[in-house]
């Protein structure tokens, strides 16, 4: 007996017998012909709230396509399959199966059964992937176009026989090649760390030693940008369970950002504080700051507050996405405090060894 034939033999009291529908992952909603909900299974109640029975379907799923197809299904007595995309307050995506139900299932003589398959997470993952590919392609294409243009000009363009002009193009070609190289390196780093994010490092790492190393390695660059670094570490052990190379990536990117997104001559204050169960790292600059509305998006891949400025200072927008994954891998937590025009502070709390 098919599910629908089985339901045909039900009446309103039969709704009480449909407890088995509570075991379904999918949401099941039954409407009377006025589109009011006369039954919702457990999954639907968990999703849309405990008081949905008696409410109109449009109060929980405001989608004109759904409402039209319910009417159509009642009039032509045929099942429909449609996609439902809800944008606000949260993005939701469902595949809905609308089936004309048996009479007398609700109090009225017609009913409509809606099976909803929640595909929100799958949709989001797919969208994220295609956005990512589009972003990567765009980011690679921009420097590639400059390189191609430069080479064409040298090869057959106005610089073909002009050694001086050829020399002028070289630094641009080299700079754009370096940009592509750092983008590819960041992408590789990101994909590697994503794969390893769930594996907590098992080796000992000394945060004080690593931070001092990062400051030393970057001293020439910091001098060039006239950035002054003040670093203070509490006395005691600064050991955590950590991957030295990955931790170097965190501190390098945060230090690079602090000096990059500040005017020349900026003071960057870094500290390492030992707490009862954790070690708290802070890096604070008095640079351009991050507008409040962008703070939640700042660790997204390719997100830059000011893409033009980032281009000028050589940012790919992957640094903080990498930092976030490494922080997670170390079971640490990150907090960002910032005020536009005043400066930014990144705080990372690592569990103590
Ligand atoms: N200390 C900071 N002060 C102000 N803005 C910042 C700071 N750190 C990051 N940002 C903003 O966040 C964006 C993302 O930073 P992120 O480190 O991910 O990328 P990036 O520095 O542009 O490029 P990359 O690190 O890949 O070279 C930056 O483009 C900048 O707009
Ligand atoms: Mg950066």
């Amino acid at each position: 007996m098919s599910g629908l034939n089985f339901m045909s033999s039900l009446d309103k009291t039969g709704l009480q017998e449909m407890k088995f529908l509570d075991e379904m992952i999918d949401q099941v909603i039954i409407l009377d012909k006025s589109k009011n909900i006369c039954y919702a299974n457990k999954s639907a109640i968990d999703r849309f709230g405990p008081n949905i029975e008696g409410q109109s379907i449009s109060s929980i799923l405001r989608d004109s396509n759904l409402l039209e197809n319910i009417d159509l299904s009642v009039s032509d007595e045929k099942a429909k399959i449609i996609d439902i995309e809800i944008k606000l307050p949260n993005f939701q995506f469902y595949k809905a199966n609308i089936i004309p139900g048996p009479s007398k299932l609700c109090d009225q003589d017609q009913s409509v059964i809606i099976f909803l398959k929640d595909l929100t997470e799958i949709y989001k993952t797919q969208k994220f992937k295609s956005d990512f590919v589009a972003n990567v392609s765009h980011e690679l294409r921009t420097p590639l176009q400059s390189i191609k243009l430069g080479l064409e000009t040298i090869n057959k363009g106005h610089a073909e026989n002009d050694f001086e002009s050829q020399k002028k193009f070289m630094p641009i070609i080299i700079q754009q090649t370096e940009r592509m190289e750092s983008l590819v390196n960041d992408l590789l780093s990101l994909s590697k760390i994503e794969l390893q994010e769930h594996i907590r490092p098992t080796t000992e790492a000394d945060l004080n030693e690593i931070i001092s190393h990062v400051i030393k390695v970057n001293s020439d660059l910091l001098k060039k940008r006239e950035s002054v670094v003040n670093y203070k570490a509490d006395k005691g052990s600064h050991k955590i369970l950590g991957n030295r190379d990955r931790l170097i990536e965190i501190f390098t990117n945060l230090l690079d950002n602090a000096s990059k997104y500040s005017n020349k001559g900026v003071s960057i204050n870094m500290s390492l504080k030992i707490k009862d169960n954790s070690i708290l790292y802070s890096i604070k600059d008095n640079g351009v700051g991050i507008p409040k509305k962008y703070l939640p998006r700042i660790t997204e891949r390719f997100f830059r507050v000011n893409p033009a400025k980032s281009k000028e200072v050589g940012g790919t927008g992957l640094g903080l996405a990498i930092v976030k994954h490494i922080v997670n891998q170390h079971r640490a937590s990150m907090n960002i405090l910032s005020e536009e025009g005043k400066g930014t502070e990144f705080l990372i709390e690592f569990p103590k060894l």
Side-chain angles (χ1 to χ4, degrees):
M1 194 189 276
S2 79
L4 217 68
N5 287 339
F6 161 73
M7 285 178 135
S8 305
S9 61
L10 289 167
D11 58 12
K12 174 76 175 120
T13 50
L15 281 176
Q16 323 301 325
E17 305 297 320
M18 299 209 295
K19 277 255 163 263
F20 68 93
L21 290 177
D22 286 342
E23 304 299 322
M24 284 183 72
I25 301 172
D26 294 342
Q27 286 103 33
V28 184
I29 292 171
I30 303 180
L31 309 178
D32 61 24
K33 70 170 179 197
S34 318
K35 298 198 201 80
N36 290 326
I37 300 167
C38 70
Y39 170 84
N41 75 340
K42 183 172 178 306
S43 175
I45 288 171
D46 289 348
R47 190 77 163 92
F48 301 112
N51 305 316
I52 63 170
E53 282 183 22
Q55 285 191 45
S56 159
I57 184 72
S58 60
S59 64
I60 62 159
L61 285 168
R62 189 175 289 278
D63 183 86
S64 57
N65 191 26
L66 171 69
L67 301 181
E68 271 166 33
N69 275 280
I70 293 171
D71 286 337
L72 212 61
S73 163
V74 170
S75 62
D76 69 7
E77 296 194 351
K78 286 197 177 116
K80 317 275 173 228
I81 297 176
I82 59 161
D83 291 338
I84 304 177
E85 199 176 315
I86 310 267
K87 296 225 162 65
L88 293 168
N90 303 313
F91 179 82
Q92 298 167 53
F93 187 86
Y94 300 93
K95 181 95 33 212
N97 201 348
I98 305 163
I99 305 169
S103 55
K104 300 201 187 79
L105 195 52
C106 300
D107 283 336
Q108 299 170 351
D109 55 358
Q110 269 175 312
S111 67
V112 178
I113 305 166
I114 303 175
F115 289 89
L116 288 171
K117 192 171 267 309
D118 186 351
L119 301 178
T120 309
E121 287 312 311
I122 295 171
Y123 185 92
K124 272 192 193 161
T125 311
Q126 272 176 358
K127 172 126 181 48
F128 181 77
K129 272 192 188 157
S130 57
D131 284 356
F132 182 62
V133 171
N135 275 330
V136 170
S137 314
H138 176 79
E139 294 291 334
L140 285 172
R141 203 174 50 194
T142 314
L144 195 57
Q145 275 169 343
S146 308
I147 294 168
K148 190 172 167 226
L149 193 73
L151 289 173
E152 279 171 353
T153 316
I154 293 170
N155 189 36
K156 285 212 158 42
H158 73 261
E160 189 182 352
N161 301 310
D162 182 348
F163 182 62
E164 282 310 309
S165 290
Q166 286 180 9
K167 261 186 28 189
K168 267 190 215 149
F169 277 102
M170 285 307 172
I172 300 169
I173 294 171
I174 291 169
Q175 191 194 44
Q176 295 301 318
T177 312
E178 281 169 356
R179 183 167 169 77
M180 286 182 76
E181 188 184 24
S182 78
L183 187 65
V184 171
N185 286 341
D186 279 356
L187 284 169
L188 283 174
S189 195
L190 191 59
S191 96
K192 238 192 254 164
I193 179 68
E194 261 185 331
L195 287 175
Q196 293 166 355
E197 190 170 327
H198 62 286
I199 308 168
R200 191 176 178 186
T202 50
T203 47
E204 272 185 27
D206 185 321
L207 289 176
N208 184 33
E209 181 274 320
I210 293 170
I211 293 165
S212 307
H213 168 81
V214 168
I215 297 172
K216 201 166 134 200
V217 169
N218 288 286
S219 61
D220 284 349
L221 182 72
L222 292 165
K223 212 179 271 170
K224 210 164 96 189
R225 292 183 186 159
E226 295 171 26
S227 303
V228 181
V229 179
N230 305 306
Y231 171 51
K232 266 194 219 141
D234 278 355
K235 284 209 166 64
S237 166
H238 306 98
K239 286 194 177 145
I240 61 161
L241 281 179
N243 177 320
R244 189 170 188 277
D245 291 340
R246 296 261 172 253
L247 291 164
I248 288 175
E249 276 188 82
I250 293 187
F251 302 124
T252 304
N253 182 56
L254 294 181
L255 184 57
D256 180 49
N257 284 352
S259 80
K260 220 161 53 167
Y261 301 110
S262 305
N263 293 323
K264 276 192 171 173
V266 65
S267 295
I268 300 167
N269 291 314
M270 272 203 269
S271 66
L272 212 47
K273 291 203 167 79
I274 301 178
K275 298 173 79 173
D276 285 348
N277 299 310
S278 59
I279 302 179
L280 182 67
Y281 165 77
S282 154
I283 176 163
K284 195 171 178 179
D285 63 62
N286 48 16
V288 297
I290 301 162
K292 222 186 180 89
K293 64 175 174 186
Y294 294 133
L295 271 179
R297 300 195 55 196
I298 208 77
T299 57
E300 272 175 29
R301 298 155 183 218
F302 295 115
F303 183 83
R304 285 159 292 196
V305 172
N306 181 344
K309 164 85 179 164
S310 288
K311 215 173 193 181
E312 183 193 309
V313 291
T316 62
L318 289 173
L320 286 178
I322 295 172
V323 166
K324 186 183 75 179
H325 286 296
I326 302 175
V327 164
N328 290 343
Q329 188 201 18
H330 285 77
R331 308 294 184 262
S333 59
M334 182 161 78
N335 210 349
I336 309 167
L337 308 170
S338 189
E339 210 174 320
E340 202 177 351
K342 294 218 165 137
T344 305
E345 180 175 17
F346 283 82
L347 292 148
I348 305 179
E349 192 156 5
F350 295 92
K352 236 179 186 171
L353 184 67

